[in-house]
Amino acid sequence: MNAPSDPIAVQLPAAAAGASHPHESARSQVQGQAPYVDDLPELKGTLYAAPVMSPVAHGLLRGIDASAALALPGVVGLVSAEDIPGDRLLATFVHDEPVLARDKVEHVGQVVALVVAQDVMQARRAARQVRLDIEALPAILTVRQALASDSQVLPTVTVRRGEPEAALARSALQLEGNLSVGGQEHFYLEGQVAYAMPQEQDQWLVHSSTQHPGEVQHWIAHALGIANHRVTVQCRRMGGGFGGKETQAGHMAVWACLAARKFGCPVKLRLDRDDDFMITGKRHPFEYDYTVGFDVSGLITALKLRMLVNCGFSADLSGPVADRAIFHADNAYFLSDVEIVSHRCKTNLQSQTAFRGFGGPQGMIVIEAILGDIARRLGLDPLQVRRRNFYGLGSRDVTHYQMKVEDNILDPLVSTLARNCRYEARREQLAIFNAGSPVIKRGLALTPVKFGISFTATLFNQAGALVHVYTDGSVQVNHGGTEMGQGLHTKVAQVVADELGVPLAQVLVTASDTGKVPNASATAASAGTDLNARAAQYAAAQVRSSLAQFVAGLDGCGAGAVQFAGGRVLSPNGTRDFVEVVRMAYANRIQLWSDGFYRTPKIHYDKTTLTGRPFYYFAYGAACTEVAIDTLTGESRVLRVDILHDVGHSINPAIDRGQIEGGFVQGMGWLTCEQLVWDEAGRLRTHAPSTYKIPSIGDIPAHMEVDFWPEPNPEDNVHGSKAVGEPPFMLAISVFEALRDAVASTLPPGQCVNLEAPATPEHILRSLLHPSPR
């Protein structure tokens, strides 16, 4: 122990949290040394599975002829629904999706069986030789067809406030319109993959690229007819997820386990990119019909909105996705008299699923389009109309689902961005440019984001973690979240390092494992850090408290006077190295590990009425985007982006900046170039990089400025931070509104814009040639 010193006078090193540290796997990833599931060493005797997919969108499955496939070299056998020892339906909430199709098929690409072989390519080639006897039935491929046929995966949901019909009748002005917004493929770099390894006594170890190991564990146990404790699911990292591995990863794991059980050996199932497109769900496409009332200032006085949600052939997560779209149909705006009707339409397409924003983007985009058209009808600046409708302070501050907006920073944040990016001056310059440019037209839009943070299903807002301190002073952390490149493990390590007062390099976060933290929620809803970092902080605090009490006993002081910082433990009577204290504590039989548990406070919500406080807080942001379109070809380009985003007190500014930039670009892709096209037979035609286009480096504007709003989270969140995974995605709605602004410059004054999303060159040309009659 060093000489006594005043710990207050000691210069403490900077905290880990709040600084830009590299991603914990960055060095290994750029060196190609960070293993993903398909990189793991394979056990002797491992076999490989490949899916047999339906070529028909809807039909009766009469039989499976696998004789040609089974005759091929290396083919071991076939797995079908007859080989499922447990429930033949997946353990989803609605319980409406078969593990493998049995009596009927409901979309092109639905998996009917698996071919298992000694080699990956042998299995894939053989799967294409399996012949399915299917009696085709009429298919429902659009939400309009589904609505006419009353085809739904879940009942219609209606949320009302006030008297929208009476308010519409009183409104000075009205607009009627519709909007179509397409889906989006996740296009994670690492495709869907699972590696199932049978263990002793009917136990299982499964490596899965999943955002929700606990659900994968549950699904496997359910299909195999065994208890959850016999299944361990691990995930060290994913090569991207974006929501596409929240439920969809469970299918791969269940299929791999069924094959492994039948043939008594390890089985790996990794989809190639084309099959991944054909099998897995996407972002939900939406269509909207609306009637809006407003006054001469642009203030919305009434709104009747109908949402047609294309859910695909089963419910999956469509219920909560559609609910969140309802919750975010207001975005930043107070709606006094409103009715929102949400139809959850069943179609013969892939079962659509979670995607970054989880319905929030589909809710926000329609209100932004409505406000843009109101501004054009009135001849007003769209930003002026948006600000006219903002939530207020002390009044006009309750959402249509009865949650009070308590932390409203919309007006100062938007005002700051508008001033910093010179919005008004650029508006004037843009008008001059367009007047002198007959072919190239420019557009400008500044749109806000108000995104609710928490799972809308209250029970998922909980997390657990383990913190182990070893006698050499090193620290190991395990928590229920998963790492998919977003930096969750890095942030958790930073929080734990500060709680124990040790250098960040001393903390290691290990693979997500259902055998360590049970019943963990999915890493989704932007809540990964909020939940898991707080749970890990609580676990570390328990260890620190035990060590502080031990040191206090040695030094005759109160435990509250003991500080931990810079790898040292400081008391009023002396300073010791952290390692020294740990070893002494171990010798005195002091517990050096602990668990931590966190549940999000304040939230409550009635899922039958969709009212309450479903969110702990809101994350805010705004983006100003300038674009150009070619009126002869419909081509477009994003010229400049300025973003001001609310991350609270950032735990890791570099990671948060990356999330904002990446989220914006992904959102830009959704609204510009990423188009899913199904033909009249229900076949997805855009199922590979050759036909489905995500943004490339050339699509990034030369000017892309990102700034952070400087205030902390007013709620008691970990280190005063705010979630940053999903909210930035919706900043890209400014791109779509800027494109609509550019199209409007070619139309007569007061004319609304009829533009579908994504705003492909074809859709932009169509909007120029066929403007809205409204």
Side-chain angles (χ1 to χ4, degrees):
M1 182 177 73
N2 297 329
S5 60
D6 179 2
I8 304 301
V10 175
Q11 183 67 39
L12 300 179
S20 291
H21 295 279
H23 188 287
E24 49 88 20
S25 294
R27 185 177 296 274
S28 295
Q29 285 169 323
V30 298
Q31 293 176 336
Q33 296 177 351
Y36 296 83
V37 172
D38 200 36
D39 301 318
L40 298 176
E42 296 172 358
L43 297 178
K44 183 178 180 180
T46 294
L47 298 177
Y48 305 87
V52 178
M53 300 179 292
S54 169
V56 176
H58 190 206
L60 301 177
L61 180 61
R62 301 299 191 188
I64 303 173
D65 180 4
S67 56
L70 296 175
L72 293 175
V75 175
V76 176
L78 186 82
V79 178
S80 70
E82 304 304 319
D83 296 306
I84 303 172
D87 195 335
R88 289 175 174 173
L89 294 176
L90 291 168
T92 62
F93 287 111
V94 182
H95 205 229
D96 66 341
E97 184 175 347
V99 175
L100 294 167
R102 187 182 182 203
D103 300 318
K104 62 181 178 179
V105 294
E106 297 189 85
H107 75 90
V108 175
Q110 184 173 3
V111 177
V112 176
L114 305 164
V115 171
V116 180
Q118 296 171 350
D119 175 82
V120 175
M121 295 312 297
Q122 288 174 341
R124 291 177 179 174
R125 283 192 291 265
R128 285 160 173 75
Q129 298 302 312
V130 176
R131 296 293 171 255
L132 303 178
D133 181 6
I134 300 174
E135 179 186 336
L137 296 173
I140 295 174
L141 302 177
T142 70
V143 290
R144 302 290 176 181
Q145 293 171 350
L147 191 65
S149 304
D150 194 27
S151 176
Q152 300 190 78
V153 297
L154 292 165
T156 297
V157 171
T158 300
V159 173
R160 285 177 61 93
R161 175 164 66 179
E163 298 293 336
E165 294 83 5
L168 271 173
R170 294 192 304 267
S171 297
L173 298 163
Q174 290 188 24
L175 272 178
E176 291 185 1
N178 50 67
L179 177 67
S180 176
V181 176
Q184 187 178 21
E185 166 64 31
H186 300 87
F187 221 111
Y188 22 64
L189 287 177
E190 176 202 29
Q192 298 280 1
V193 59
Y195 186 26
M197 293 176 281
Q199 307 290 294
E200 63 168 298
Q201 302 179 55
D202 203 19
Q203 296 178 59
W204 293 81
L205 173 61
V206 180
H207 293 281
S208 173
S209 181
T210 176
Q211 295 173 235
H212 199 176
E215 184 170 65
V216 172
Q217 174 196 37
H218 177 52
W219 281 22
I220 292 170
H222 195 73
L224 296 182
I226 59 178
N228 286 357
H229 70 260
R230 293 190 178 277
V231 181
T232 299
V233 176
Q234 294 180 354
C235 178
R236 172 59 183 92
R237 62 174 59 83
M238 287 165 277
F242 311 118
K245 296 177 180 177
E246 186 171 344
T247 60
Q248 305 291 290
H251 300 71
M252 315 305 136
V254 169
W255 295 334
C257 286
L258 289 173
R261 179 185 180 277
K262 181 170 183 176
F263 298 108
C265 57
V267 171
K268 179 186 286 185
L269 173 57
R270 176 175 60 82
L271 298 182
D272 72 11
R273 184 67 66 178
D274 291 80
D275 290 351
D276 201 326
F277 265 84
M278 299 301 292
I279 293 169
T280 61
K282 327 295 179 195
R283 180 185 297 282
H284 290 69
F286 271 56
E287 293 193 19
Y288 314 83
D289 302 314
Y290 61 83
T291 303
V292 61
F294 53 99
D295 66 17
V296 294
S297 71
L299 180 71
I300 292 177
T301 51
L303 176 63
K304 287 178 69 71
L305 172 63
R306 181 168 72 169
M307 297 180 169
L308 306 180
V309 187
N310 193 330
C311 302
F313 82 100
S314 70
D316 193 77
L317 294 171
S318 294
V321 167
D323 289 349
R324 187 174 275 265
I326 292 174
F327 289 140
H328 288 82
D330 60 337
N331 191 15
Y333 314 107
F334 178 75
L335 302 174
S336 59
D337 294 85
V338 58
E339 178 186 75
I340 302 171
V341 180
S342 172
H343 297 282
R344 291 91 197 274
C345 301
K346 178 175 181 175
T347 57
N348 293 117
L349 302 176
Q350 292 85 350
S351 187
Q352 315 303 0
T353 192
F355 201 127
R356 194 178 200 167
F358 203 78
Q362 295 98 314
M364 290 184 190
I365 192 170
V366 65
I367 193 66
E368 294 298 341
I370 289 170
L371 287 166
D373 277 347
I374 288 174
R376 281 180 276 277
R377 174 57 60 89
L378 295 172
L380 299 175
D381 186 314
L383 181 57
Q384 177 185 340
V385 173
R386 289 185 166 92
R387 296 180 69 171
R388 179 74 177 90
N389 286 278
F390 275 173
Y391 277 101
L393 299 174
S395 64
R396 293 171 49 86
D397 60 355
V398 177
T399 68
H400 55 293
Y401 49 91
Q402 304 306 311
M403 177 175 172
K404 187 178 179 64
V405 181
E406 299 174 333
D407 57 344
N408 186 353
I409 58 172
L410 284 163
D411 193 64
L413 186 148
V414 167
S415 297
T416 300
L417 177 62
R419 181 175 61 253
N420 291 348
C421 74
R422 300 175 52 252
Y423 174 84
E424 291 184 1
R426 289 167 61 198
R427 261 268 169 227
E428 295 175 0
Q429 294 167 3
L430 185 141
I432 295 171
F433 174 88
N434 285 342
S437 177
V439 175
I440 304 299
K441 300 291 183 180
R442 292 187 177 182
L444 184 69
L446 195 161
T447 61
V449 166
K450 175 184 69 66
F451 189 78
I453 303 298
S454 292
F455 288 96
T456 53
T458 305
L459 75 162
F460 293 136
N461 293 287
Q462 57 176 298
L466 298 171
V467 170
H468 299 166
V469 177
Y470 295 95
T471 54
D472 64 352
S474 63
V475 181
Q476 186 184 94
V477 183
N478 191 271
H479 60 85
T482 54
E483 176 62 52
M484 62 193 92
Q486 84 281 35
L488 173 59
H489 285 356
T490 307
K491 288 185 175 182
V492 170
Q494 288 176 263
V495 169
V496 169
D498 284 350
E499 197 67 26
L500 294 174
V502 299
L504 179 59
Q506 222 161 300
V507 180
L508 175 69
V509 180
T510 58
S512 306
D513 188 330
T514 59
K516 291 188 175 182
V517 177
N519 312 315
S521 299
T523 304
S526 300
T529 299
D530 289 7
L531 294 173
N532 295 287
R534 185 64 111 187
Q537 184 183 41
Y538 285 177
Q542 293 288 340
V543 176
R544 187 190 65 186
S545 177
S546 297
L547 293 175
Q549 291 177 43
F550 172 66
V551 170
L554 295 176
D555 290 359
C557 64
V562 179
Q563 295 185 42
F564 294 74
R568 295 176 294 168
V569 181
L570 303 88
S571 83
N573 296 320
T575 300
R576 301 175 177 86
D577 287 339
F578 180 78
V579 177
E580 177 189 357
V581 171
V582 167
R583 288 174 176 167
M584 293 171 62
Y586 172 75
N588 283 272
R589 297 179 294 176
I590 302 299
Q591 182 174 325
L592 295 175
W593 63 270
S594 186
D595 62 325
F597 180 79
Y598 174 71
R599 51 182 287 179
T600 307
K602 295 186 177 182
I603 54 175
H604 58 88
Y605 140 73
D606 184 340
K607 64 181 180 181
T608 59
T609 62
L610 266 67
T611 59
R613 178 174 177 163
F615 307 120
Y616 186 31
Y617 62 87
F618 293 105
Y620 298 91
C624 182
T625 297
E626 185 172 346
V627 302
I629 64 171
D630 185 325
T631 59
L632 299 181
T633 66
E635 294 173 288
S636 68
R637 179 169 294 279
V638 177
L639 303 176
R640 173 175 171 173
V641 176
D642 294 271
I643 293 171
L644 181 57
H645 198 70
D646 167 33
V647 298
H649 274 172
S650 175
I651 293 174
N652 190 314
I655 284 176
D656 286 350
R657 185 175 299 276
Q659 286 293 294
I660 293 168
E661 293 173 348
F664 181 91
V665 171
Q666 191 174 50
M668 182 177 75
W670 171 51
L671 294 173
T672 58
C673 58
E674 297 187 42
Q675 186 177 23
L676 294 165
V677 178
W678 285 272
D679 65 17
E680 66 284 351
R683 294 169 296 196
L684 181 64
R685 289 304 194 180
T686 51
H687 55 79
S690 58
T691 50
Y692 185 85
K693 298 299 184 182
I694 63 174
S696 68
I697 190 67
D699 296 308
I700 311 304
H703 177 104
M704 188 171 181
E705 187 72 25
V706 176
D707 290 316
F708 293 163
W709 184 250
E711 297 177 358
N713 190 338
E715 296 292 351
D716 182 21
N717 205 45
V718 59
H719 281 270
S721 65
K722 282 193 174 184
V724 73
E726 292 172 300
F729 182 94
M730 284 143 285
L731 295 170
I733 293 174
S734 62
V735 176
F736 188 66
E737 283 303 295
L739 290 169
R740 282 162 43 88
D741 186 59
V743 171
S745 71
T746 71
L747 304 178
Q751 181 74 58
C752 296
V753 175
N754 181 25
L755 178 62
E756 292 183 47
T760 60
E762 293 85 353
H763 287 163
I764 289 176
L765 268 182
R766 191 177 303 153
S767 71
L768 292 166
L769 298 173
H770 305 287
S772 171
R774 292 167 279 148

